[in-house]
Amino acid sequence: MRATREEYWQFSLPEKLLFYACALASVGYMCWQIWARVQLWMSGRPTGEVRQGKQYWMPTRAGLERWFGKVWTYILLQKKVRSSRPKTGAPIHLMMFYGFLALFVATTLLGINTYSPIKFHQGTYYLAYEVIFDTLGLLLLFGLIWAIVRRGSTKEPISKDSVDMQVLWLLLLITVNGYLLEAARIAINPQSQKGWDSVSWVGFALAQPLAALKGNVLAYKALWWFHALCVFVFFVLIPRLKLRHIVLAIFSAAGSPDTPMGKLRTIPMEEVEQTEQIGVKYARDYSRWHLMSLDACMECGRCTEVCPANAVGKILNPKQIVQDLRGAMASGAEVVPSLDPEALWQCTTCNACVEACPVLIRHVDIIVDARRNIVSEGGLSGSAALVLRQTASTGNAWGTNGNREEWMQGLDIPLARTTSEFEYLFWVGCAGATDAGAIKTTKAVADLLKTAGVSFACLGNEEACTGDPARRLGEEFLFQEKAMENVSAFERYGVKKIVTACPHCFNSLKNEYGDFDAKIEVFHHTQLLQTLVSKGKLLAAKPERGSVVMHDPCYLGRVNDESEAPRALVEGMVNPEFHSQKTRCCGAGGGRMWMEEALTERPSNARVEQLLATGAKTVALGCPFCKIMLDASVKQVTEEEINLVDLAEMLQQANSKASVT
Ligand code: SF4
Ligand code: SF4
């Protein structure tokens, strides 16, 4: 006789029918609940593929490949969870996920064997099935126990929501009961005498103390029904609790936008004419995917853990924003009053939350779309509103002082309008042309380009703000106006390549100007300088090992995933605790640089403390905004002499020393 086991052992037809009826009722209820949410998501903006002006719901082959790629990376490989800190419960989630997945696969295989004409649950396959899934189920068991202990611990800074705890207990009950059921079957069923039950080793071990149950079919049935009842309750709860992420995370990952993290949606003018509204007023104004992703939130709090505003005690809490929006989606209430408007303005658009979120929620899209609506209704005042007025009237976020050619005096900087041919447009940016600290960087970049023999030119007074602060403050059409103005300057001078020392300009030019027909290759200055160093045209700086710490700007290290180029320029730099894609924000992005901030609530203070904890006395930078923010904080955090220097300045110093020697 081949090794196997009988399904529904000792169950009569009426008992089976009762089971099917209960299963149908619980699964039906779950589907009905999900359908109610699907209708809410479908009220949003369509997100299917648009091809030749038509909306298609069936994706192309390439689209399907992208979907599967994302499910593989973010769901099956758990990329985001694996890269998060163990403190966030990452190992626990991984154990529970893989244990749950294993049991799901085991149940599905069993179901196919039971309800299809193909019978394969026997012989060697059966033996392998039993040993593998008996073992993998332990991952879920131990993960659940660990999660319960962690939640119960007073030392852990984790939500103590009693419902979460009850769900964990329910899952633990189902898992333990599953093993007990197996043990009871082995103890009670004479099949165990056939010798192959020992491969179900966990159940087999548990069966030994249950030997007295031999032949007690009633006890087996009682356990079986209890197990089934717990599973039915589990199905009913899935759509009602954060358990729903078990299903929705797959759809959230698969359908997540393919656009770069740093690209915000360009609002077409026709949309404004049709809807007579800018930005998001009601939840239905978000895309269908954005609405669905809200329901996929697993309430893990990773977004809030990395939020620089929340870390310094501000009320901004990205997890809460997602929860409040879910409420607004269900109730049909207006978005802005449902969130805290003050919190919306505290966001630096640093994208740390987006990078951390395991279900790929795009908090920054959500926040900026709400800001757009506030701005369109005249709800922005104070210094942020002043920046918008200055950008509109002078083309410089810093306002009237922004003569973009003053810094060039005596430096013989080529201008596009007087240079017949050049390879790179050196995009200086508002800060680079206006702020004293940033001008030092601008001059260093120009000097290095000359030293390395790079053919370049600047637009000078023909350059206007990229519109990045305006866009992120919610003034979409001021951004579009500046983008079109700049793109026409690129066309005028045949610009193909741009280099800039500002990661915010870099991001907008690289990721957002494509919507305005810009056909340009864009480089952050560290990227071009890295190429020049690798070609031997410039020398890398070699300070004393460990004396320099690298602060990755959010819009370079995280949003544009560039952290190698800066490190290729200066040898022996140390990293702070949070660096590269996990860098922490200086607090300047999203227009925050121009907003009032209480001294105790500056993200830059926290960042300076993290940087100085390395013991380094020089901080290497790659962003003018970071330089301004960190400079203001250094004085508050320490009395020591700390140097804040852009990487270009360090390289300039190294190369001028080399030319002297
Ligand atoms: S983008 Fe940054 S500041 Fe804004 S909510 Fe996310 S983590 Fe917080
Ligand atoms: S939004 Fe993402 S990171 Fe934040 S709690 Fe929800 S799932 Fe976690």
Side-chain angles (χ1 to χ4, degrees), residues 382-409:
S383 49
L386 180 67
V387 174
L388 296 180
R389 285 199 297 275
Q390 285 175 170
T391 308
S393 59
T394 67
N396 186 322
W398 265 260
T400 48
N401 296 332
N403 180 340
R404 290 175 187 263
E405 293 180 14
E406 247 173 50
W407 69 271
M408 301 175 181
Q409 282 171 16

PDB file of all heavy atoms in Angstrom, residues 382-409:
ATOM      1  N   GLY A 382       1.624  82.746   4.604  1.00  0.00           N
ATOM      2  CA  GLY A 382       2.918  82.827   5.278  1.00  0.00           C
ATOM      3  C   GLY A 382       4.095  82.691   4.328  1.00  0.00           C
ATOM      4  O   GLY A 382       3.991  82.972   3.124  1.00  0.00           O
ATOM      5  N   SER A 383       5.227  82.210   4.886  1.00  0.00           N
ATOM      6  CA  SER A 383       6.469  82.198   4.111  1.00  0.00           C
ATOM      7  C   SER A 383       6.400  81.262   2.902  1.00  0.00           C
ATOM      8  O   SER A 383       7.012  81.521   1.873  1.00  0.00           O
ATOM      9  CB  SER A 383       7.639  81.810   5.018  1.00  0.00           C
ATOM     10  OG  SER A 383       7.305  80.651   5.741  1.00  0.00           O
ATOM     11  N   ALA A 384       5.638  80.160   3.014  1.00  0.00           N
ATOM     12  CA  ALA A 384       5.536  79.240   1.876  1.00  0.00           C
ATOM     13  C   ALA A 384       4.825  79.924   0.709  1.00  0.00           C
ATOM     14  O   ALA A 384       5.222  79.778  -0.453  1.00  0.00           O
ATOM     15  CB  ALA A 384       4.788  77.986   2.294  1.00  0.00           C
ATOM     16  N   ALA A 385       3.779  80.695   1.026  1.00  0.00           N
ATOM     17  CA  ALA A 385       3.062  81.413  -0.028  1.00  0.00           C
ATOM     18  C   ALA A 385       3.979  82.467  -0.654  1.00  0.00           C
ATOM     19  O   ALA A 385       3.942  82.711  -1.864  1.00  0.00           O
ATOM     20  CB  ALA A 385       1.803  82.070   0.548  1.00  0.00           C
ATOM     21  N   LEU A 386       4.828  83.055   0.190  1.00  0.00           N
ATOM     22  CA  LEU A 386       5.767  84.066  -0.313  1.00  0.00           C
ATOM     23  C   LEU A 386       6.733  83.449  -1.336  1.00  0.00           C
ATOM     24  O   LEU A 386       7.025  84.044  -2.374  1.00  0.00           O
ATOM     25  CB  LEU A 386       6.548  84.673   0.865  1.00  0.00           C
ATOM     26  CG  LEU A 386       7.577  85.736   0.507  1.00  0.00           C
ATOM     27  CD1 LEU A 386       6.898  86.996  -0.024  1.00  0.00           C
ATOM     28  CD2 LEU A 386       8.446  86.082   1.728  1.00  0.00           C
ATOM     29  N   VAL A 387       7.199  82.243  -1.052  1.00  0.00           N
ATOM     30  CA  VAL A 387       8.103  81.553  -1.982  1.00  0.00           C
ATOM     31  C   VAL A 387       7.436  81.383  -3.338  1.00  0.00           C
ATOM     32  O   VAL A 387       8.060  81.579  -4.387  1.00  0.00           O
ATOM     33  CB  VAL A 387       8.501  80.160  -1.432  1.00  0.00           C
ATOM     34  CG1 VAL A 387       9.316  79.383  -2.444  1.00  0.00           C
ATOM     35  CG2 VAL A 387       9.275  80.295  -0.168  1.00  0.00           C
ATOM     36  N   LEU A 388       6.167  81.013  -3.309  1.00  0.00           N
ATOM     37  CA  LEU A 388       5.452  80.826  -4.569  1.00  0.00           C
ATOM     38  C   LEU A 388       5.354  82.151  -5.330  1.00  0.00           C
ATOM     39  O   LEU A 388       5.563  82.205  -6.544  1.00  0.00           O
ATOM     40  CB  LEU A 388       4.050  80.261  -4.309  1.00  0.00           C
ATOM     41  CG  LEU A 388       3.998  78.860  -3.695  1.00  0.00           C
ATOM     42  CD1 LEU A 388       2.562  78.408  -3.493  1.00  0.00           C
ATOM     43  CD2 LEU A 388       4.741  77.850  -4.565  1.00  0.00           C
ATOM     44  N   ARG A 389       5.074  83.221  -4.592  1.00  0.00           N
ATOM     45  CA  ARG A 389       4.969  84.525  -5.262  1.00  0.00           C
ATOM     46  C   ARG A 389       6.321  84.926  -5.834  1.00  0.00           C
ATOM     47  O   ARG A 389       6.416  85.418  -6.958  1.00  0.00           O
ATOM     48  CB  ARG A 389       4.466  85.586  -4.264  1.00  0.00           C
ATOM     49  CG  ARG A 389       2.967  85.463  -3.958  1.00  0.00           C
ATOM     50  CD  ARG A 389       2.412  86.757  -3.376  1.00  0.00           C
ATOM     51  NE  ARG A 389       3.020  87.098  -2.095  1.00  0.00           N
ATOM     52  CZ  ARG A 389       2.596  86.612  -0.914  1.00  0.00           C
ATOM     53  NH1 ARG A 389       1.575  85.774  -0.867  1.00  0.00           N
ATOM     54  NH2 ARG A 389       3.185  86.965   0.203  1.00  0.00           N
ATOM     55  N   GLN A 390       7.377  84.682  -5.059  1.00  0.00           N
ATOM     56  CA  GLN A 390       8.721  85.049  -5.525  1.00  0.00           C
ATOM     57  C   GLN A 390       9.112  84.242  -6.760  1.00  0.00           C
ATOM     58  O   GLN A 390       9.665  84.770  -7.710  1.00  0.00           O
ATOM     59  CB  GLN A 390       9.744  84.791  -4.408  1.00  0.00           C
ATOM     60  CG  GLN A 390       9.680  85.825  -3.317  1.00  0.00           C
ATOM     61  CD  GLN A 390      10.593  85.545  -2.144  1.00  0.00           C
ATOM     62  OE1 GLN A 390      10.761  86.400  -1.304  1.00  0.00           O
ATOM     63  NE2 GLN A 390      11.173  84.367  -2.062  1.00  0.00           N
ATOM     64  N   THR A 391       8.795  82.955  -6.717  1.00  0.00           N
ATOM     65  CA  THR A 391       9.140  82.097  -7.863  1.00  0.00           C
ATOM     66  C   THR A 391       8.388  82.575  -9.097  1.00  0.00           C
ATOM     67  O   THR A 391       8.948  82.636 -10.195  1.00  0.00           O
ATOM     68  CB  THR A 391       8.772  80.625  -7.559  1.00  0.00           C
ATOM     69  OG1 THR A 391       9.357  80.267  -6.308  1.00  0.00           O
ATOM     70  CG2 THR A 391       9.273  79.692  -8.633  1.00  0.00           C
ATOM     71  N   ALA A 392       7.118  82.939  -8.892  1.00  0.00           N
ATOM     72  CA  ALA A 392       6.320  83.386 -10.038  1.00  0.00           C
ATOM     73  C   ALA A 392       6.835  84.708 -10.589  1.00  0.00           C
ATOM     74  O   ALA A 392       6.933  84.898 -11.801  1.00  0.00           O
ATOM     75  CB  ALA A 392       4.858  83.516  -9.615  1.00  0.00           C
ATOM     76  N   SER A 393       7.220  85.630  -9.691  1.00  0.00           N
ATOM     77  CA  SER A 393       7.569  86.965 -10.183  1.00  0.00           C
ATOM     78  C   SER A 393       9.028  87.084 -10.617  1.00  0.00           C
ATOM     79  O   SER A 393       9.345  87.836 -11.526  1.00  0.00           O
ATOM     80  CB  SER A 393       7.238  88.024  -9.124  1.00  0.00           C
ATOM     81  OG  SER A 393       7.972  87.728  -7.948  1.00  0.00           O
ATOM     82  N   THR A 394       9.935  86.316  -9.988  1.00  0.00           N
ATOM     83  CA  THR A 394      11.360  86.489 -10.323  1.00  0.00           C
ATOM     84  C   THR A 394      11.982  85.244 -10.943  1.00  0.00           C
ATOM     85  O   THR A 394      13.118  85.294 -11.412  1.00  0.00           O
ATOM     86  CB  THR A 394      12.177  86.810  -9.046  1.00  0.00           C
ATOM     87  OG1 THR A 394      12.169  85.648  -8.200  1.00  0.00           O
ATOM     88  CG2 THR A 394      11.603  87.985  -8.283  1.00  0.00           C
ATOM     89  N   GLY A 395      11.274  84.123 -10.914  1.00  0.00           N
ATOM     90  CA  GLY A 395      11.867  82.882 -11.437  1.00  0.00           C
ATOM     91  C   GLY A 395      12.908  82.318 -10.486  1.00  0.00           C
ATOM     92  O   GLY A 395      13.651  81.407 -10.826  1.00  0.00           O
ATOM     93  N   ASN A 396      12.967  82.864  -9.269  1.00  0.00           N
ATOM     94  CA  ASN A 396      13.935  82.395  -8.275  1.00  0.00           C
ATOM     95  C   ASN A 396      13.206  82.245  -6.948  1.00  0.00           C
ATOM     96  O   ASN A 396      12.566  83.191  -6.476  1.00  0.00           O
ATOM     97  CB  ASN A 396      15.078  83.421  -8.145  1.00  0.00           C
ATOM     98  CG  ASN A 396      16.198  82.927  -7.240  1.00  0.00           C
ATOM     99  OD1 ASN A 396      15.956  82.274  -6.232  1.00  0.00           O
ATOM    100  ND2 ASN A 396      17.424  83.232  -7.619  1.00  0.00           N
ATOM    101  N   ALA A 397      13.302  81.056  -6.353  1.00  0.00           N
ATOM    102  CA  ALA A 397      12.592  80.810  -5.103  1.00  0.00           C
ATOM    103  C   ALA A 397      13.058  81.750  -3.998  1.00  0.00           C
ATOM    104  O   ALA A 397      12.344  81.993  -3.030  1.00  0.00           O
ATOM    105  CB  ALA A 397      12.784  79.358  -4.681  1.00  0.00           C
ATOM    106  N   TRP A 398      14.296  82.316  -4.163  1.00  0.00           N
ATOM    107  CA  TRP A 398      14.828  83.239  -3.156  1.00  0.00           C
ATOM    108  C   TRP A 398      14.369  84.688  -3.393  1.00  0.00           C
ATOM    109  O   TRP A 398      14.688  85.568  -2.629  1.00  0.00           O
ATOM    110  CB  TRP A 398      16.357  83.194  -3.130  1.00  0.00           C
ATOM    111  CG  TRP A 398      16.898  82.253  -2.099  1.00  0.00           C
ATOM    112  CD1 TRP A 398      17.373  82.590  -0.871  1.00  0.00           C
ATOM    113  CD2 TRP A 398      17.024  80.845  -2.186  1.00  0.00           C
ATOM    114  NE1 TRP A 398      17.783  81.470  -0.195  1.00  0.00           N
ATOM    115  CE2 TRP A 398      17.583  80.375  -0.978  1.00  0.00           C
ATOM    116  CE3 TRP A 398      16.708  79.907  -3.174  1.00  0.00           C
ATOM    117  CZ2 TRP A 398      17.834  79.032  -0.743  1.00  0.00           C
ATOM    118  CZ3 TRP A 398      16.967  78.575  -2.931  1.00  0.00           C
ATOM    119  CH2 TRP A 398      17.523  78.148  -1.724  1.00  0.00           C
ATOM    120  N   GLY A 399      13.712  84.904  -4.520  1.00  0.00           N
ATOM    121  CA  GLY A 399      13.166  86.233  -4.750  1.00  0.00           C
ATOM    122  C   GLY A 399      14.079  87.162  -5.503  1.00  0.00           C
ATOM    123  O   GLY A 399      14.942  86.741  -6.262  1.00  0.00           O
ATOM    124  N   THR A 400      13.898  88.434  -5.253  1.00  0.00           N
ATOM    125  CA  THR A 400      14.509  89.453  -6.110  1.00  0.00           C
ATOM    126  C   THR A 400      16.030  89.479  -6.059  1.00  0.00           C
ATOM    127  O   THR A 400      16.659  90.008  -6.966  1.00  0.00           O
ATOM    128  CB  THR A 400      13.992  90.857  -5.736  1.00  0.00           C
ATOM    129  OG1 THR A 400      14.090  90.972  -4.319  1.00  0.00           O
ATOM    130  CG2 THR A 400      12.555  91.052  -6.171  1.00  0.00           C
ATOM    131  N   ASN A 401      16.644  88.920  -5.003  1.00  0.00           N
ATOM    132  CA  ASN A 401      18.106  88.947  -4.951  1.00  0.00           C
ATOM    133  C   ASN A 401      18.727  88.002  -5.960  1.00  0.00           C
ATOM    134  O   ASN A 401      19.935  87.904  -6.068  1.00  0.00           O
ATOM    135  CB  ASN A 401      18.605  88.529  -3.554  1.00  0.00           C
ATOM    136  CG  ASN A 401      18.161  89.519  -2.507  1.00  0.00           C
ATOM    137  OD1 ASN A 401      17.978  90.679  -2.830  1.00  0.00           O
ATOM    138  ND2 ASN A 401      17.981  89.049  -1.291  1.00  0.00           N
ATOM    139  N   GLY A 402      17.880  87.294  -6.659  1.00  0.00           N
ATOM    140  CA  GLY A 402      18.408  86.208  -7.471  1.00  0.00           C
ATOM    141  C   GLY A 402      18.990  86.583  -8.814  1.00  0.00           C
ATOM    142  O   GLY A 402      18.549  86.086  -9.836  1.00  0.00           O
ATOM    143  N   ASN A 403      19.983  87.443  -8.877  1.00  0.00           N
ATOM    144  CA  ASN A 403      20.689  87.636 -10.136  1.00  0.00           C
ATOM    145  C   ASN A 403      21.586  86.423 -10.345  1.00  0.00           C
ATOM    146  O   ASN A 403      22.510  86.180  -9.600  1.00  0.00           O
ATOM    147  CB  ASN A 403      21.533  88.913 -10.073  1.00  0.00           C
ATOM    148  CG  ASN A 403      22.277  89.138 -11.370  1.00  0.00           C
ATOM    149  OD1 ASN A 403      22.463  88.221 -12.158  1.00  0.00           O
ATOM    150  ND2 ASN A 403      22.698  90.371 -11.583  1.00  0.00           N
ATOM    151  N   ARG A 404      21.303  85.639 -11.374  1.00  0.00           N
ATOM    152  CA  ARG A 404      21.983  84.355 -11.545  1.00  0.00           C
ATOM    153  C   ARG A 404      23.353  84.470 -12.200  1.00  0.00           C
ATOM    154  O   ARG A 404      23.981  83.462 -12.484  1.00  0.00           O
ATOM    155  CB  ARG A 404      21.103  83.413 -12.353  1.00  0.00           C
ATOM    156  CG  ARG A 404      19.889  82.963 -11.578  1.00  0.00           C
ATOM    157  CD  ARG A 404      18.970  82.127 -12.427  1.00  0.00           C
ATOM    158  NE  ARG A 404      17.736  81.842 -11.696  1.00  0.00           N
ATOM    159  CZ  ARG A 404      17.514  80.721 -11.022  1.00  0.00           C
ATOM    160  NH1 ARG A 404      18.420  79.786 -10.966  1.00  0.00           N
ATOM    161  NH2 ARG A 404      16.361  80.540 -10.401  1.00  0.00           N
ATOM    162  N   GLU A 405      23.803  85.704 -12.453  1.00  0.00           N
ATOM    163  CA  GLU A 405      25.132  85.814 -13.068  1.00  0.00           C
ATOM    164  C   GLU A 405      26.141  86.485 -12.144  1.00  0.00           C
ATOM    165  O   GLU A 405      27.330  86.552 -12.473  1.00  0.00           O
ATOM    166  CB  GLU A 405      25.016  86.554 -14.408  1.00  0.00           C
ATOM    167  CG  GLU A 405      24.234  85.714 -15.422  1.00  0.00           C
ATOM    168  CD  GLU A 405      24.058  86.360 -16.782  1.00  0.00           C
ATOM    169  OE1 GLU A 405      24.755  87.359 -17.062  1.00  0.00           O
ATOM    170  OE2 GLU A 405      23.200  85.878 -17.553  1.00  0.00           O
ATOM    171  N   GLU A 406      25.671  86.931 -10.983  1.00  0.00           N
ATOM    172  CA  GLU A 406      26.576  87.637 -10.068  1.00  0.00           C
ATOM    173  C   GLU A 406      27.754  86.775  -9.624  1.00  0.00           C
ATOM    174  O   GLU A 406      28.888  87.225  -9.571  1.00  0.00           O
ATOM    175  CB  GLU A 406      25.788  88.070  -8.832  1.00  0.00           C
ATOM    176  CG  GLU A 406      25.664  89.592  -8.742  1.00  0.00           C
ATOM    177  CD  GLU A 406      24.734  89.990  -7.601  1.00  0.00           C
ATOM    178  OE1 GLU A 406      24.923  89.496  -6.465  1.00  0.00           O
ATOM    179  OE2 GLU A 406      23.814  90.763  -7.890  1.00  0.00           O
ATOM    180  N   TRP A 407      27.480  85.495  -9.341  1.00  0.00           N
ATOM    181  CA  TRP A 407      28.536  84.608  -8.830  1.00  0.00           C
ATOM    182  C   TRP A 407      29.657  84.388  -9.839  1.00  0.00           C
ATOM    183  O   TRP A 407      30.758  84.000  -9.487  1.00  0.00           O
ATOM    184  CB  TRP A 407      27.948  83.258  -8.409  1.00  0.00           C
ATOM    185  CG  TRP A 407      27.446  82.407  -9.555  1.00  0.00           C
ATOM    186  CD1 TRP A 407      26.201  82.420 -10.098  1.00  0.00           C
ATOM    187  CD2 TRP A 407      28.194  81.447 -10.310  1.00  0.00           C
ATOM    188  NE1 TRP A 407      26.096  81.530 -11.126  1.00  0.00           N
ATOM    189  CE2 TRP A 407      27.315  80.915 -11.282  1.00  0.00           C
ATOM    190  CE3 TRP A 407      29.503  80.977 -10.277  1.00  0.00           C
ATOM    191  CZ2 TRP A 407      27.698  79.949 -12.208  1.00  0.00           C
ATOM    192  CZ3 TRP A 407      29.897  80.001 -11.194  1.00  0.00           C
ATOM    193  CH2 TRP A 407      29.008  79.503 -12.150  1.00  0.00           C
ATOM    194  N   MET A 408      29.346  84.657 -11.107  1.00  0.00           N
ATOM    195  CA  MET A 408      30.315  84.361 -12.177  1.00  0.00           C
ATOM    196  C   MET A 408      31.408  85.419 -12.305  1.00  0.00           C
ATOM    197  O   MET A 408      32.403  85.185 -12.998  1.00  0.00           O
ATOM    198  CB  MET A 408      29.590  84.295 -13.531  1.00  0.00           C
ATOM    199  CG  MET A 408      28.508  83.269 -13.621  1.00  0.00           C
ATOM    200  SD  MET A 408      27.677  83.422 -15.208  1.00  0.00           S
ATOM    201  CE  MET A 408      26.455  82.144 -15.064  1.00  0.00           C
ATOM    202  N   GLN A 409      31.187  86.565 -11.647  1.00  0.00           N
ATOM    203  CA  GLN A 409      32.094  87.693 -11.884  1.00  0.00           C
ATOM    204  C   GLN A 409      33.563  87.310 -11.685  1.00  0.00           C
ATOM    205  O   GLN A 409      33.943  86.762 -10.653  1.00  0.00           O
ATOM    206  CB  GLN A 409      31.722  88.859 -10.973  1.00  0.00           C
ATOM    207  CG  GLN A 409      30.508  89.596 -11.523  1.00  0.00           C
ATOM    208  CD  GLN A 409      29.962  90.630 -10.562  1.00  0.00           C
ATOM    209  OE1 GLN A 409      30.630  91.016  -9.609  1.00  0.00           O
ATOM    210  NE2 GLN A 409      28.746  91.072 -10.814  1.00  0.00           N
TER     211      GLN A 409
END
